Coordinates of all heavy atoms in Angstrom, one line a residue:
L787 N 98.8 107.6 85.8 CA 100.1 107.0 85.3 C 100.9 106.2 86.2 O 101.3 105.1 85.8 CB 101.0 108.3 84.9 CG 102.4 107.8 84.3 CD1 102.2 107.0 83.1 CD2 103.2 109.1 84.1
K788 N 100.9 106.5 87.5 CA 101.6 105.7 88.5 C 100.9 104.4 88.6 O 101.6 103.2 88.7 CB 101.6 106.3 89.8 CG 102.5 107.5 89.9 CD 102.6 108.1 91.3 CE 103.8 109.1 91.5 NZ 105.1 108.3 91.6
A789 N 99.6 104.3 88.7 CA 98.9 103.1 88.9 C 99.0 102.1 87.6 O 99.2 101.0 87.8 CB 97.3 103.3 89.1
E790 N 98.9 102.7 86.4 CA 99.1 101.9 85.3 C 100.5 101.3 85.1 O 100.7 100.1 84.7 CB 98.7 102.7 84.0 CG 97.2 103.0 83.9 CD 96.4 101.7 83.8 OE1 96.7 100.8 83.2 OE2 95.4 101.7 84.5
A791 N 101.5 102.1 85.5 CA 102.9 101.6 85.5 C 103.1 100.5 86.5 O 103.7 99.5 86.2 CB 103.8 102.8 85.8
L792 N 102.5 100.7 87.7 CA 102.6 99.6 88.8 C 102.0 98.3 88.3 O 102.5 97.2 88.7 CB 101.9 100.2 90.0 CG 102.4 99.4 91.4 CD1 103.8 99.5 91.5 CD2 101.6 100.0 92.5
K793 N 100.9 98.3 87.5 CA 100.3 97.1 87.1 C 101.3 96.3 86.2 O 101.2 95.1 86.1 CB 99.1 97.4 86.2 CG 98.0 97.9 86.9 CD 96.8 98.2 86.0 CE 95.6 98.9 86.7 NZ 94.5 99.2 85.7
R794 N 102.4 96.9 85.7 CA 103.3 96.2 84.8 C 104.6 96.0 85.6 O 105.6 95.7 85.0 CB 103.5 97.1 83.6 CG 102.3 97.2 82.7 CD 102.3 98.4 81.7 NE 101.2 98.3 80.8 CZ 100.1 98.8 81.0 NH1 99.7 99.3 82.2 NH2 99.1 98.7 80.1
G795 N 104.6 96.2 86.8 CA 105.9 96.1 87.6 C 106.8 97.2 87.5 O 108.0 97.1 87.9
L796 N 106.4 98.4 87.0 CA 107.1 99.6 86.8 C 106.7 100.6 87.7 O 105.6 100.7 88.3 CB 107.0 100.0 85.3 CG 107.4 99.0 84.3 CD1 107.1 99.4 82.9 CD2 108.9 98.6 84.3
M797 N 107.6 101.6 87.8 CA 107.4 102.8 88.6 C 107.7 104.2 88.0 O 108.8 104.1 87.3 CB 108.3 102.6 89.9 CG 108.2 103.8 90.9 SD 109.2 103.6 92.3 CE 108.9 105.0 93.4
Y798 N 106.8 105.0 88.1 CA 107.2 106.4 87.7 C 107.6 107.2 89.0 O 106.6 107.6 89.7 CB 105.9 107.1 86.9 CG 106.2 108.5 86.5 CD1 107.1 108.9 85.6 CD2 105.6 109.5 87.1 CE1 107.5 110.1 85.1 CE2 105.9 110.9 86.7 CZ 106.8 111.2 85.8 OH 107.1 112.4 85.4
P799 N 108.8 107.4 89.2 CA 109.2 107.9 90.6 C 108.9 109.2 91.0 O 108.6 109.5 92.2 CB 110.7 107.8 90.5 CG 111.0 106.7 89.4 CD 109.9 107.0 88.4
P800 N 108.7 110.3 90.1 CA 108.4 111.6 90.7 C 107.1 111.6 91.5 O 106.1 111.0 91.0 CB 108.3 112.5 89.4 CG 109.2 111.8 88.4 CD 109.1 110.3 88.7
D801 N 107.1 112.3 92.6 CA 106.0 112.1 93.5 C 105.5 113.4 94.1 O 105.5 113.6 95.4 CB 106.4 111.1 94.6 CG 105.2 110.6 95.4 OD1 104.2 110.2 94.8 OD2 105.4 110.6 96.7
P802 N 105.1 114.4 93.3 CA 104.4 115.6 93.8 C 103.3 115.3 94.7 O 102.6 114.3 94.5 CB 104.1 116.4 92.6 CG 104.9 115.8 91.5 CD 105.1 114.4 91.9
G803 N 103.1 116.1 95.7 CA 101.9 115.9 96.7 C 100.6 115.9 96.0 O 99.7 115.1 96.5
Q804 N 100.3 116.7 95.0 CA 99.1 116.6 94.4 C 98.9 115.7 93.3 O 99.3 115.8 92.2 CB 98.8 118.1 93.8 CG 97.4 118.2 93.0 CD 96.2 117.8 93.8 OE1 95.9 116.6 93.8 NE2 95.6 118.7 94.6
K805 N 98.3 114.5 93.7 CA 98.3 113.3 92.8 C 97.2 113.5 91.6 O 97.1 112.7 90.7 CB 98.0 112.0 93.5 CG 98.9 111.7 94.6 CD 100.4 111.5 94.1 CE 101.4 111.2 95.1 NZ 101.5 112.2 96.2
L806 N 96.4 114.5 91.8 CA 95.3 114.8 90.7 C 95.8 115.9 89.7 O 95.0 116.4 89.0 CB 94.0 115.3 91.4 CG 93.3 114.2 92.3 CD1 92.0 114.7 92.9 CD2 93.0 113.0 91.5
A807 N 97.1 116.1 89.9 CA 97.7 117.1 88.9 C 97.9 116.3 87.5 O 98.1 115.0 87.6 CB 99.0 117.5 89.3
T808 N 97.9 117.0 86.4 CA 98.3 116.2 85.2 C 99.7 116.1 85.0 O 100.6 116.9 85.5 CB 97.6 117.0 84.0 OG1 98.2 118.3 84.0 CG2 96.1 117.1 84.1
I809 N 100.1 115.2 84.1 CA 101.5 114.9 84.0 C 102.1 116.1 83.1 O 103.3 116.5 83.3 CB 101.7 113.5 83.3 CG1 103.2 113.1 83.5 CG2 101.3 113.5 81.8 CD1 103.6 112.8 85.0
G810 N 101.4 116.6 82.3 CA 101.8 117.8 81.5 C 102.1 119.0 82.3 O 103.1 119.6 82.1
G811 N 101.3 119.2 83.4 CA 101.5 120.3 84.3 C 102.7 120.0 85.2 O 103.5 120.9 85.5
N812 N 102.9 118.7 85.5 CA 104.2 118.3 86.3 C 105.4 118.6 85.5 O 106.4 119.2 86.1 CB 104.1 116.9 86.6 CG 103.2 116.4 87.7 OD1 103.0 115.3 88.1 ND2 102.6 117.5 88.4
V813 N 105.4 118.3 84.2 CA 106.5 118.6 83.4 C 106.7 120.0 83.1 O 107.8 120.6 83.2 CB 106.4 117.9 82.1 CG1 107.6 118.2 81.1 CG2 106.5 116.2 82.3
S814 N 105.6 120.8 83.0 CA 105.7 122.2 82.7 C 106.4 123.0 83.9 O 106.9 124.1 83.7 CB 104.4 122.8 82.4 OG 103.9 122.2 81.1
T815 N 106.2 122.5 85.1 CA 106.7 123.1 86.3 C 107.9 122.4 86.8 O 108.4 122.8 87.9 CB 105.6 123.2 87.3 OG1 105.1 121.9 87.7 CG2 104.5 124.1 86.8
N816 N 108.3 121.3 86.2 CA 109.3 120.4 86.9 C 109.1 120.2 88.3 O 109.9 120.4 89.2 CB 110.8 121.2 86.7 CG 111.9 120.1 87.2 OD1 111.8 118.9 87.2 ND2 112.9 120.8 87.8
A817 N 107.9 119.5 88.5 CA 107.4 119.2 89.8 C 108.4 118.3 90.6 O 109.1 117.5 89.9 CB 106.0 118.6 89.8
G818 N 108.5 118.4 91.9 CA 109.4 117.7 92.7 C 108.8 116.6 93.5 O 108.3 115.6 92.9
G819 N 108.6 116.8 94.8 CA 108.0 115.8 95.6 C 108.8 115.1 96.6 O 110.0 115.5 96.7
M820 N 108.2 114.3 97.5 CA 108.9 113.8 98.5 C 110.1 112.8 98.3 O 110.9 112.6 99.0 CB 108.0 113.1 99.6 CG 107.0 114.1 100.2 SD 105.7 113.3 101.2 CE 104.5 112.8 99.9
R821 N 109.9 112.2 97.1 CA 110.9 111.0 96.7 C 112.0 111.6 96.0 O 112.9 110.9 95.4 CB 110.2 109.9 95.9 CG 109.3 109.1 96.8 CD 108.4 108.2 96.0 NE 107.7 107.1 96.9 CZ 106.7 107.4 97.6 NH1 106.1 108.6 97.5 NH2 106.1 106.5 98.3
A822 N 112.2 112.9 95.9 CA 113.3 113.5 95.1 C 114.6 113.1 95.6 O 115.6 113.0 94.8 CB 113.1 115.1 95.0
I823 N 114.8 112.9 96.9 CA 116.2 112.7 97.4 C 116.8 111.3 96.8 O 118.0 111.3 96.7 CB 116.2 112.7 98.9 CG1 115.2 111.7 99.5 CG2 115.9 114.1 99.5 CD1 115.5 111.5 101.1
K824 N 116.0 110.4 96.6 CA 116.5 109.2 96.0 C 116.3 109.1 94.5 O 117.2 108.6 93.8 CB 115.7 108.0 96.6 CG 116.4 106.7 96.2 CD 115.7 105.5 97.0 CE 116.4 104.2 96.6 NZ 115.7 103.0 97.4
Y825 N 115.1 109.6 94.0 CA 114.8 109.3 92.6 C 115.0 110.5 91.7 O 114.9 110.3 90.5 CB 113.5 108.6 92.6 CG 113.4 107.4 93.0 CD1 112.6 107.0 94.2 CD2 114.1 106.3 92.5 CE1 112.6 105.8 94.7 CE2 114.0 104.9 93.0 CZ 113.3 104.8 94.1 OH 113.2 103.4 94.6
G826 N 115.1 111.6 92.3 CA 115.1 112.9 91.4 C 113.8 113.6 91.3 O 112.8 113.1 91.8
T827 N 113.8 114.5 90.3 CA 112.5 115.3 90.1 C 112.0 114.9 88.8 O 112.6 114.1 88.0 CB 112.7 116.8 90.3 OG1 113.7 117.3 89.4 CG2 113.1 117.2 91.7
T828 N 110.9 115.6 88.4 CA 110.3 115.3 87.0 C 111.3 115.4 85.8 O 111.2 114.6 84.9 CB 109.1 116.3 86.8 OG1 108.2 116.1 87.8 CG2 108.5 115.9 85.4

Side-chain angles (χ1 to χ4, degrees):
L787 178 60
K788 284 182 167 292
E790 289 300 317
L792 196 58
K793 289 177 183 178
R794 295 160 173 82
L796 300 172
M797 178 182 180
Y798 179 67
D801 193 44
Q804 178 50 271
K805 303 302 185 291
L806 296 179
T808 62
I809 199 68
N812 284 175
V813 172
S814 294
T815 57
N816 185 31
M820 293 177 280
R821 288 170 169 80
I823 58 171
K824 182 172 181 178
Y825 292 115
T827 60
T828 298

